[in-house]
Amino acid sequence: MGVKLYSQGAAEEVTGSKHIFEIGGRQFMVDCGAFQGKRMIANKKNREFTIDSDKLEAVILTHGHYDHCGLLPIITRQGFSGNIYATPATRDIANLVLMDSARIQSRDAEFLSKQAARRGEKFNWRPLFTEKDCVKTANQMISLSYNRRMNIAPNVQLEFFDAGHILGSAFASITIRGLRGGLYAPQAAEKDELRILYAGDIGRRQKPIIRDPAVDMPAPDYIFLESTYGDRVHENSEFAMKELERVVCEAVERRGKIIIPSFAIERAQELVFYLHLLTDQKKIPPIPIYVDSPMASNATSVFRVHPECYDESVNEAFLKHHKNPFGFGSLSFTTSVEESKELNNKEGPMIIISADGMCEAGRVLYHLANEIGKERNTILIVGYMAEHTLGRKIRDGEKEVRILGDMYHVNAKVEQINAFSAHADYTEMTQWLDEIDTSRLKNIFLVHGEKGAQAFFMSYLNQHGYKDVSVVKYGETYEVG
C-alpha cells in the first residue's frame, strides 16, 4: 500500500498552504491556509477552494499565519468533524487570526452593501466564514506540545518540533507504519515506517524572542520544504539594527513619519523588541511608536502567556529581571478607529506599525494614503510582498500607486530591510538541511515559492548534494512508499 501526496495550495505560489497525504483512501491535511495577495485574486481563489471535507480524518496545523490556517472554518462548516492538531501557542494565535478575519469580512460586507445600495445595484458578496464558524473550528483544536508523540489515527503518528518561524510554529513529523504488513499491523518495524516532514515555514537563527529551528528529529524519507526566499539572501541582525537606527534617525531629522506595513503576528512584536533595544541603548531618540492594529495588540498578549516558546535571553528577561520585551515608554497600542484616525493629524516624527503586511487591506492603507505623498516621510518594507500587491509595487519603486481607489504619487522615501523576515533564506535552509539527519531522504518537495525562486533553489540544492528535488505542482499526485 502506497501513500499519495498532493497540494491544493502553495504549489508554485507562496501562500494558501494546503497539503494532503492519503493512505489507502484515508485523507489527512497539513495546513488549510488562505491565499493572500491582490485582493480580488485572493477572494476568487479562496472561494474556489473545494475538498471533500467530511472525508478528512484529521488536520495538522504547522502555525497560525493566515496563509496556513485561514480556511479552516470553511472545512469545519462543510462537514469536517475530526481533530485539528496544533501546538498550544498556534492554537491561540490561529483562533485570534480567524476571529479577526471573520470580523473584518463582516465589516467589509456591511460597507460593500451600503455602497451597492447607493448605486442602486444588487449586492451579492458574502464573507467566506463567520464568527460562529470560527468558534466551531476552535472547538475541534487539540493541543500537542513540542517533542510529544501522538497517534492521530491507526498507525499514523504526529510529533511537532520547533520551526523557529513565529510563536508556536512547528515542523510536523509524520510517521506512517504498517504499509507493507497492512495498515493495522502491530509493532511495525522501523524499516517499514514511512516518514514525511512537513516543514511549514522555517525560521531563522539568532532571531529575538523565539528559539532557533530544531535540527534533532527523526530522519525523514520526504520533506515538504518552503522556498519563499529561494533566490534571496537576508542581511544579518547586526546589519538590520544599524539600518533601523539609520532609518529612524534620518526620519527624526526630517521630522517625518515612518510607516511600517507589518503582519500583526511575530513581525510587529519583533520590531517592537528591536526598537526597545535601540531606545535603551540610546541609539535612537525616544520618539512615539504606535502599533496601530487591534490584532497585533491581542497577539502581543498571546505572546506574554507562552514563555515555553521563548529563547533563553527573553526567558531570562521575563523570569529573572521581570522586564517586558513587548512594551516600553515610547510605545502605544491603538485599538479604536478613532485613535487610528487621530494619528493622521499628529505631527512627526513618529513610527506607525500597521497591518496589513502586503498593503492590500487594513489600517495601513489609510496611513499610506495620508503619508505616501510627503517627502519627509518614510515607507519601511520589512517583509515579503506578493506579486501584484500594493506593497510589492511600492517596494519595486513605482512612482504612482492606487490606494483605496485613488492614485497617489510616491514622494515618501522607500526603504527595505530584509533581515526582519521570519523566513529562512536559501542558504539558511540549506544549512538546516545539512544539520538534520538526511540518511533516509528520498526526495525534497518544494512548496511556498514563486517559480523563479524555486528554480534557483532547486539548482542550488542540486549543487550542494541534494539531487532529488521536485517542485510541487497544483493538484499533481506524487506516490511514495
Side-chain angles (χ1 to χ4, degrees):
M1 185 191 314
V3 177
K4 295 180 180 179
L5 311 175
Y6 53 95
S7 297
Q8 293 194 345
E12 296 186 299
E13 61 189 10
V14 174
T15 64
S17 178
K18 290 179 281 288
H19 311 295
I20 296 167
F21 62 94
E22 187 175 314
I23 313 163
R26 303 166 65 214
Q27 297 178 1
F28 301 81
M29 178 178 266
V30 179
D31 291 337
C32 188
F35 179 84
Q36 289 179 291
K38 192 166 180 61
R39 200 166 183 175
M40 288 180 62
I41 297 172
N43 183 63
K44 183 175 184 292
K45 282 198 171 192
N46 290 330
R47 290 184 186 281
E48 289 174 347
F49 166 60
T50 57
I51 189 172
D52 293 329
S53 301
D54 57 335
K55 294 182 180 178
L56 286 173
E57 288 202 26
V59 174
I60 299 159
L61 183 59
T62 62
H63 64 284
H65 273 152
Y66 191 61
D67 65 320
H68 288 256
C69 74
L71 298 188
L72 284 172
I74 290 181
I75 62 170
T76 58
R77 187 178 64 200
Q78 291 178 347
F80 170 63
S81 58
N83 293 332
I84 302 167
Y85 296 95
T87 66
T90 290
R91 174 203 62 208
D92 291 349
I93 287 175
N95 287 338
L96 174 65
V97 167
L98 293 174
M99 288 295 281
D100 186 72
S101 175
R103 289 167 185 150
I104 289 171
Q105 291 179 64
S106 178
R107 289 197 296 268
D108 284 350
E110 184 179 351
F111 174 74
L112 292 170
S113 178
K114 289 178 180 178
Q115 279 195 325
R118 281 198 295 267
R119 295 192 300 265
E121 297 173 357
K122 187 177 179 180
F123 175 73
N124 57 11
W125 189 88
R126 294 290 182 271
L128 285 164
F129 52 82
T130 66
E131 291 181 53
K132 184 177 179 181
D133 297 322
C134 296
V135 172
K136 186 176 187 301
T137 300
N139 285 333
Q140 291 177 224
M141 288 191 178
I142 303 294
S143 294
L144 178 62
S145 298
Y146 294 127
N147 309 108
R148 303 288 294 178
R149 295 182 181 182
M150 178 180 282
N151 292 314
I152 63 172
N155 282 6
V156 181
Q157 191 177 75
L158 167 66
E159 188 170 4
F160 284 134
F161 298 89
D162 198 335
H165 173 60
I166 66 168
L167 195 80
S169 62
F171 301 133
S173 176
I174 313 295
T175 300
I176 302 166
R177 292 176 172 168
L179 291 175
R180 294 182 182 86
L183 186 61
Y184 296 94
Q187 303 301 319
E190 183 175 321
K191 66 181 180 181
D192 192 34
E193 292 180 347
L194 178 71
R195 300 175 189 163
I196 309 168
L197 184 66
Y198 288 91
D201 288 342
I202 299 181
R204 306 182 63 207
R205 294 171 182 241
Q206 305 301 312
K207 297 286 281 181
I209 306 173
I210 58 177
R211 292 185 294 265
D212 292 348
V215 293
D216 186 12
M217 63 193 79
D221 297 298
Y222 300 93
I223 300 176
F224 274 68
L225 183 65
E226 72 148 314
S227 49
T228 308
Y229 287 94
D231 60 351
R232 291 196 182 191
V233 177
H234 299 316
E235 300 104 345
N236 61 39
S237 58
E238 184 180 347
F239 176 83
M241 289 284 278
K242 289 180 179 177
E243 281 294 279
L244 185 59
E245 176 187 344
R246 176 187 63 80
V247 169
V248 172
C249 289
E250 287 180 1
V252 168
E253 285 183 11
R254 298 194 302 270
R255 300 200 61 77
K257 296 180 181 179
I258 302 174
I259 310 298
I260 308 179
S262 172
F263 291 111
I265 308 295
E266 190 274 333
R267 193 68 44 80
Q269 291 77 23
E270 185 177 346
L271 285 165
V272 167
F273 184 90
Y274 277 127
L275 289 166
H276 192 173
L277 281 180
L278 290 173
T279 303
D280 279 354
Q281 295 167 3
K282 303 190 185 309
K283 292 182 177 179
I284 61 173
I287 66 170
I289 301 166
Y290 298 94
V291 179
D292 186 26
S293 166
M295 188 164 75
S297 177
N298 292 332
T300 303
S301 298
V302 172
F303 269 64
R304 292 190 182 107
V305 298
H306 284 287
E308 76 276 8
C309 299
Y310 299 156
D311 67 16
E312 193 57 37
S313 63
V314 177
N315 258 324
E316 185 173 332
F318 264 124
L319 301 178
K320 293 185 180 179
H321 305 294
H322 308 289
K323 292 180 179 177
N324 180 5
F326 309 121
F328 57 110
S330 300
L331 179 70
S332 301
F333 287 90
T334 62
T335 54
S336 72
V337 174
E338 290 71 24
E339 288 175 314
S340 179
K341 288 180 178 178
E342 286 175 8
L343 297 181
N344 296 323
N345 300 321
K346 292 184 177 182
E347 293 295 322
M350 69 171 65
I351 298 169
I352 301 174
I353 303 169
S354 186
D356 162 281
M358 295 187 194
C359 307
E360 282 296 304
R363 294 182 180 180
V364 73
L365 291 176
Y366 297 92
H367 295 303
L368 289 172
N370 277 281
E371 311 297 347
I372 202 167
K374 301 170 186 173
E375 292 183 1
R376 66 176 178 271
N377 293 333
T378 302
I379 313 300
L380 178 57
I381 307 295
V382 294
Y384 176 78
M385 298 292 181
E387 288 182 303
H388 312 301
T389 60
L390 172 60
R392 182 73 158 254
K393 291 173 182 175
I394 293 171
R395 190 206 77 177
D396 289 349
E398 292 197 16
K399 298 302 182 186
E400 193 173 27
V401 294
R402 186 179 298 277
I403 306 173
L404 297 169
D406 296 319
M407 298 302 295
Y408 291 85
H409 289 286
V410 182
N411 297 322
K413 189 174 185 181
V414 178
E415 299 269 10
Q416 182 176 11
I417 304 177
N418 284 326
F420 291 119
S421 174
H423 295 260
D425 63 33
Y426 70 89
T427 63
E428 293 166 329
M429 284 188 285
T430 305
Q431 182 182 0
W432 174 78
L433 284 170
D434 290 342
E435 293 187 14
I436 68 171
D437 185 348
T438 55
S439 59
R440 296 170 53 123
L441 188 61
K442 298 180 178 69
N443 200 68
I444 296 171
F445 292 104
L446 294 184
V447 290
H448 294 284
E450 295 174 6
K451 292 181 181 180
Q454 291 184 321
F456 182 95
F457 191 27
M458 179 188 285
S459 175
Y460 185 84
L461 288 172
N462 291 161
Q463 293 168 23
H464 284 75
Y466 299 97
K467 301 299 183 184
D468 296 309
V469 184
S470 305
V471 173
V472 173
K473 298 185 183 300
Y474 181 88
E476 190 166 313
T477 300
Y478 304 85
E479 295 200 20
V480 301

